[in-house]
């Protein structure tokens, strides 16, 4: 069963499944399935293309999180393969949503228990953790200037956080 579909920069389509698989289709010059990868040991519960569209963030039912991207395994290869590029500490609860900064490689993950974790992809750093609010979160968004986060709880209430998030070193 498919859990998420994501369209990346119009040339790729990605699907995740309850079995933890990622399916990658190239859309140009014609649609073709190019990769099937086991990306998680549990159901994939959150999926987003990262800023720039070349990496994909994958969160699962266990709270595990990784970033994947396509590479040629050998210089002479014509086929691109999805490989795990970054691993992040577990959130300890199912990751239900991933919110992306539009300004840098920061992103936030929303947990089924209401926790929020702010991370930086390339440095693999955890920048900030908000503990469980007692209500699960179904979505998380960065504000356009990346100076705040908005979260929507399961009960429909919104959470708002202000951020001073300088570029990690």
């Amino acid at each position: 069963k498919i859990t998420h579909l994501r369209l990346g920069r119009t040339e790729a389509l990605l699907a995740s499944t309850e079995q933890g698989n990622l399916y990658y289709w190239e859309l140009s010059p014609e649609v073709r399935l190019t990769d099937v990868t086991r990306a998680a040991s549990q159901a994939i519960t959150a999926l987003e293309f990262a800023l720039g569209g070349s990496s994909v963030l994958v969160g699962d039912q266990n709270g595990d999180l990784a970033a994947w991207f396509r590479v040629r395994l050998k210089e002479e290869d014509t086929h691109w393969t999805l490989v795990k590029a970054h691993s992040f500490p577990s959130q300890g609860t199912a990751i239900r949503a991933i919110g992306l900064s539009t300004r840098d490689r920061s992103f936030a993950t929303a947990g089924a228990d209401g926790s929020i974790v702010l991370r930086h992809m390339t440095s693999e750093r955890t920048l900030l953790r908000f503990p469980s609010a007692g209500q699960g979160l179904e979505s998380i968004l960065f504000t356009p200037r990346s100076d705040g986060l908005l979260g929507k709880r399961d009960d429909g209430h919104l959470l708002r956080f202000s951020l001073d998030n300088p570029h990690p070193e």
Side-chain angles (χ1 to χ4, degrees):
K1 180 179 173 188
I2 292 176
T3 57
H4 296 281
L5 286 173
R6 294 293 181 263
L7 187 61
R9 292 188 309 180
T10 69
E11 73 260 1
L13 176 66
L14 199 61
S16 62
T17 70
E18 284 184 339
Q19 293 77 32
N21 292 323
L22 286 178
Y23 289 79
Y24 192 101
W25 287 270
E26 290 179 355
L27 301 178
S28 179
E30 59 186 48
V31 177
R32 68 184 182 103
L33 179 65
T34 60
D35 220 340
V36 179
T37 302
R38 179 84 169 171
S41 61
Q42 298 289 316
I44 295 174
T45 54
L47 182 68
E48 291 296 336
F49 276 99
L51 182 67
S54 59
S55 298
V56 64
L57 295 161
V58 178
D60 72 16
Q61 184 69 36
N62 289 338
D64 294 329
L65 181 70
W68 294 73
F69 71 92
R70 295 175 76 211
V71 297
R72 290 187 194 139
L73 296 178
K74 297 177 188 163
E75 196 171 307
E76 63 273 7
D77 283 350
T78 58
H79 176 76
W80 294 75
T81 303
L82 276 169
V83 296
K84 188 187 293 187
H86 301 283
S87 294
F88 302 91
S90 176
Q91 192 151 338
T93 187
I95 295 173
R96 293 175 73 194
I98 301 169
L100 304 172
S101 168
T102 58
R103 297 193 168 219
D104 61 21
R105 305 289 267 172
S106 297
F107 65 96
T109 53
D113 66 352
S115 61
I116 299 171
V117 180
L118 179 62
R119 307 168 195 259
H120 187 260
M121 189 171 76
T122 50
S123 68
E124 296 181 5
R125 288 184 47 207
T126 298
L127 305 174
L128 183 63
R129 287 182 174 270
F130 294 101
S132 170
Q135 278 276 340
L137 290 167
E138 61 181 65
S139 62
I140 188 85
L141 300 170
F142 268 86
T143 58
R145 292 186 181 150
S146 294
D147 59 357
L149 290 172
L150 295 173
K152 182 179 176 227
R153 295 189 335 192
D154 290 341
D155 65 4
H157 287 91
L158 294 178
L159 303 173
R160 184 178 65 94
F161 300 93
S162 293
L163 295 175
D164 181 11
N165 185 24
H167 184 73
E169 307 209 4

